[in-house]
Amino acid sequence: MTQTPASTPKPGPASARTALGGWLEGPRIESGAGEESGYRGERLGLPESGPGSLASQGRRLGALMVDWIIAELIAVAFGWHPGTAAGTWGTLAIFGAEQLLLLSTLGYTIGKRLFGMRVGKLGGPLTPLHVIVRTLLLLPLIPAVVWDRDGRGLHDRLAGTVVVLR
């Protein structure tokens, strides 16, 4: 019977999570005591708190819910019942249009405005191309729920955008 050394990770969900996290997050920065240093957004050059700092997941989720409810209400106004295929696809199309139009022109959606956030581009101005890429990645929802250690969704990371406080 062979024994594995205590330092060797055992296969399973924890090791898979570590492997995926390492791939998604990049190299870890550790302090001299072996602990991670810094705050969310430090690697991106953002302040720790206040305007321009990374928005929390709670705020982002709240804004997403507000934007989705607005899209649902508009779909119902068009006569699309939420329980039908037309209602589901109509709501998704309205939600996407809301994201594209408002982010491209204002830098925030209604929900983001209510929760005190805006979408920005790291290292430059937010362009319609960045908004299109971000929106197309947001619509399937999966990239939005995969986060790095800064709390940025995969859709933001791939589009080069960041959601910050106003």
Side-chain angles (χ1 to χ4, degrees):
M1 180 180 239
T2 60
Q3 292 182 344
T4 58
S7 63
T8 305
K10 296 179 183 176
S15 64
R17 187 170 36 253
T18 302
L20 178 61
W23 168 78
L24 183 62
E25 296 169 2
R28 295 202 182 276
I29 302 170
E30 296 186 2
S31 66
E35 298 177 12
E36 287 187 35
S37 63
Y39 57 87
R40 287 177 57 242
E42 182 177 29
R43 295 179 313 135
L44 306 173
L46 301 174
E48 186 172 1
S49 61
S53 64
L54 282 176
S56 69
Q57 300 300 355
R59 281 183 186 236
R60 293 179 67 170
L61 181 60
L64 179 70
M65 291 177 66
V66 167
D67 291 336
W68 189 261
I69 290 170
I70 290 170
E72 284 272 354
L73 293 173
I74 294 171
V76 168
F78 278 114
W80 296 326
H81 187 272
T84 65
T88 301
W89 289 106
T91 301
L92 189 63
I94 292 167
F95 178 80
E98 175 189 12
Q99 297 289 313
L100 288 171
L101 178 67
L102 295 177
L103 289 179
S104 293
T105 58
L106 302 173
Y108 53 83
T109 62
I110 296 168
K112 283 184 180 39
R113 176 71 177 178
L114 288 174
F115 281 85
M117 300 178 292
R118 67 176 174 79
V119 175
K121 169 76 173 90
L122 290 173
L126 185 66
T127 66
L129 179 61
H130 296 112
V131 174
I132 290 169
V133 169
R134 183 182 191 277
T135 301
L136 289 176
L137 291 169
L138 176 64
L139 292 178
L141 190 65
I142 299 301
V145 297
V146 176
W147 304 314
D148 64 9
R149 71 174 155 230
D150 286 317
R152 289 173 64 207
L154 187 57
H155 66 298
D156 278 324
R157 198 165 168 162
L158 293 174
T161 56
V162 64
V163 180
V164 295
L165 298 179
R166 292 175 44 85

